[in-house]
């Protein structure tokens, strides 16, 4: 091989390598299983999902279909925490956004940022969380939920003072739900990140934060 040809080959490889790496990163590790390829267990889980949600498995439930038992249990917990939590669905969306931001989970954010705004979370609060900042202006309930969730996620604990405030406002059942929402969407974020589940073409990835 001539020196010029070798140089051209190395140059081509240097260009192709980043593209190949990007393609590998973009490829989901647990591709969506076509319904015609479902096992009997997967088919049963998908049918139960459709009955509960009115649509086939989507989003995080697609990679979870590789373990239909886990998918069904996750869907069941989500049926409650997503739609009927004791803290209400507006404050729950605040927790979901904080969780998506903490895990830099693009799909979770893509789905829930519009839902949060529609539910009543102010755009400036959503923008602050997206940028990794504490929102400047929040209601009393939003401040309480933000502080509780931030403490739990950042320190893995909740102080007596913060717990007492949450219990006074929401009661013990509400405190359980508040922590459960954070835990449930952490679980989904972990599964989505592990699977490298892609966001739709019109989605914008979250800003990457320093580790």
């Amino acid at each position: 091989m001539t020196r010029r040809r070798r140089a051209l080959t190395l140059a081509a490889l240097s260009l192709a390598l980043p593209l190949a790496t990007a393609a590998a990163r973009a490829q989901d590790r647990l591709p969506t299983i076509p319904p015609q390829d479902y096992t009997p267990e997967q088919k049963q889980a998908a049918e139960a999902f459709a009955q509960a949600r009115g649509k086939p498995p989507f989003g995080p439930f697609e990679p979870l279909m590789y373990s239909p038992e886990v998918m069904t249990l996750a869907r069941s917990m989500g049926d409650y925490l997503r739609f009927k939590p004791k803290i209400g669905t507006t404050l729950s969306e605040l927790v979901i956004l904080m969780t998506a931001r903490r895990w830099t989970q693009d799909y979770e954010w893509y789905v829930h940022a519009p839902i949060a705004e529609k539910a009543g979370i102010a755009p400036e609060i959503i923008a602050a969380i997206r940028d990794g900042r504490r929102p400047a202006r929040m209601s009393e309930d939003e401040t309480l939920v933000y502080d509780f969730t931030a403490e739990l996620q950042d320190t893995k604990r909740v102080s007596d003072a913060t717990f007492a405030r949450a219990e006074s406002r929401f009661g013990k059942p509400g405190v359980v739900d508040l922590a459960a929402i954070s835990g449930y969407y952490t679980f989904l974020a972990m599964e989505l990140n592990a699977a490298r589940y892609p966001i739709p073409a019109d989605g914008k990835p979250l800003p990457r934060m320093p580790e």
Side-chain angles (χ1 to χ4, degrees):
M1 181 181 293
T2 66
R3 183 176 299 176
R4 176 178 171 78
R5 186 176 177 183
R6 184 181 300 111
L8 289 173
T9 301
L10 290 174
L13 287 173
S14 67
L15 291 173
L17 191 57
L19 294 175
T21 302
R25 287 176 178 171
Q27 182 181 7
D28 53 340
R29 296 170 171 179
L30 297 171
T32 300
I33 304 169
Q36 63 268 24
D37 294 339
Y38 282 164
T39 65
E41 293 78 12
Q42 289 168 336
K43 183 177 180 181
Q44 182 178 8
E47 289 173 350
F49 187 99
Q51 289 176 0
R53 297 289 183 99
K55 62 178 73 175
F58 63 93
F61 303 103
E62 290 184 330
L64 287 178
M65 280 295 291
Y66 283 89
S67 179
E69 297 84 359
V70 170
M71 194 282 289
T72 297
L73 292 169
R75 188 270 305 158
S76 179
M77 180 172 279
D79 289 345
Y80 172 72
L81 292 176
R82 167 71 177 82
F83 301 106
K84 301 176 182 179
K86 291 181 177 65
I87 65 168
T89 54
T90 298
L91 293 174
S92 71
E93 290 298 331
L94 180 63
V95 179
I96 295 167
L97 291 188
M98 293 178 68
T99 306
R101 172 65 274 182
R102 178 175 179 80
W103 285 90
T104 313
Q105 213 321 287
D106 297 325
Y107 182 86
E108 203 165 67
W109 183 275
Y110 171 86
V111 171
H112 283 278
I115 295 174
E117 185 170 355
K118 187 175 181 180
I121 302 298
E124 54 268 29
I125 293 177
I126 297 173
I129 294 173
R130 178 185 175 87
D131 295 341
R133 298 180 284 109
R134 180 186 177 88
R137 294 183 179 180
M138 294 184 284
S139 69
E140 289 186 12
D141 280 353
E142 288 169 341
T143 300
L144 173 54
V145 166
Y146 186 96
D147 290 345
F148 185 100
T149 303
E151 282 188 30
L152 184 59
Q153 293 184 351
D154 294 343
T155 72
K156 313 300 186 293
R157 300 288 187 276
V158 177
S159 67
D160 288 343
T162 300
F163 188 96
R165 287 168 55 210
E167 183 180 4
S168 176
R169 174 66 182 88
F170 302 116
K172 285 183 169 62
V175 173
V176 170
D177 283 11
L178 178 55
I181 295 164
S182 184
Y184 176 70
Y185 282 92
T186 291
F187 157 69
L188 293 184
M190 292 171 74
E191 293 284 358
L192 288 166
N193 281 351
R196 288 182 183 156
Y197 191 84
I199 57 174
D202 63 337
K204 184 179 180 181
L206 286 165
R208 267 42 189 171
M209 301 296 183
E211 295 294 335

